[in-house]
Amino acid sequence: MTQKKTGVITFKGNPVTLLGPELKIGSAAPDFKVVDNGLQPVTLADSQGKVRVITVVPSLDTPVCDTMTRKFNEEAAKLPENVVVYTISLDLPFAQKRWCGNAGIEKVKTLSDYQERSFGLSYGLLIDELKLLARAVLVIDQQGTIAYQEIVKEVTAEPDYKAALAAARALL
């Protein structure tokens, strides 16, 4: 049975329920299966040995998600090759591809959790009431351990970019 967590986040000031486990810094990052813009499967294991910055957004077609993904795309250009930056949402891969093309996103790889909700349920980030992912940033080290995690308290707010990027750089 899926765990339900309340009191962790709000959406437009209203409390919502997250589905899945509560993960801790220092825990092994659960594997997941999402798809890229070409509908090809992508798992955490595919980037083994690299630092993973995973940004999680409800939908790229909203202002805060747009801003967040553009900012991480800019920062990703400054990071070495052994760092991958993923943005995961429940947007369809076709919508993600269109959005990336329009926004000029080349450094962040957008991934969709629409098929199995594998990422959202494994990381405790699926919002039960909205069937969207909560806004979050995770940094996973080369060995697959969660080194940094921010679940943004208010879904419509931006994350702490500096703290996430500092956590990623500290692993290099």
Side-chain angles (χ1 to χ4, degrees), residues 98-116:
R98 173 193 43 78
W99 183 87
C100 287
N102 291 342
I105 302 298
E106 297 173 352
K107 295 295 182 182
V108 168
K109 184 172 186 174
T110 55
L111 302 171
S112 178
D113 196 25
Y114 87 98
Q115 287 182 335
E116 299 177 24

Side-chain angles (χ1 to χ4, degrees), residues 27-66:
S27 301
D31 204 5
F32 55 81
K33 183 177 159 195
V34 292
V35 294
D36 67 14
N37 293 174
L39 296 174
Q40 295 305 302
V42 175
T43 67
L44 182 66
D46 292 340
S47 57
Q48 187 173 352
K50 295 186 177 198
V51 172
R52 280 72 53 105
V53 176
I54 300 176
T55 70
V56 188
V57 300
S59 176
L60 292 168
D61 284 318
T62 60
V64 177
C65 299
D66 179 287

Side-chain angles (χ1 to χ4, degrees), residues 126-146:
L126 183 63
I127 301 172
D128 191 23
E129 295 85 350
L130 303 173
K131 304 303 184 247
L132 293 171
L133 295 176
R135 185 174 317 283
V137 182
L138 298 114
V139 177
I140 299 169
D141 72 14
Q142 298 90 327
Q143 292 76 39
T145 302
I146 298 171

Side-chain angles (χ1 to χ4, degrees), residues 58-158:
S59 176
L60 292 168
D61 284 318
T62 60
V64 177
C65 299
D66 179 287
T67 298
M68 181 174 158
T69 305
R70 287 175 190 264
K71 185 164 262 190
F72 275 108
N73 187 64
E74 283 175 31
E75 293 299 328
K78 302 172 191 171
L79 296 170
E81 291 297 313
N82 65 333
V83 179
V84 295
V85 182
Y86 295 145
T87 293
I88 300 178
S89 73
L90 288 171
D91 293 311
L92 292 176
F94 318 109
Q96 290 180 337
K97 185 176 182 178
R98 173 193 43 78
W99 183 87
C100 287
N102 291 342
I105 302 298
E106 297 173 352
K107 295 295 182 182
V108 168
K109 184 172 186 174
T110 55
L111 302 171
S112 178
D113 196 25
Y114 87 98
Q115 287 182 335
E116 299 177 24
R117 311 283 195 281
S118 163
F119 176 82
L121 290 170
S122 294
Y123 283 75
L125 296 172
L126 183 63
I127 301 172
D128 191 23
E129 295 85 350
L130 303 173
K131 304 303 184 247
L132 293 171
L133 295 176
R135 185 174 317 283
V137 182
L138 298 114
V139 177
I140 299 169
D141 72 14
Q142 298 90 327
Q143 292 76 39
T145 302
I146 298 171
Y148 174 87
Q149 174 180 249
E150 178 190 10
I151 300 173
V152 180
K153 299 284 183 210
E154 168 55 50
V155 175
T156 60
E158 292 180 58

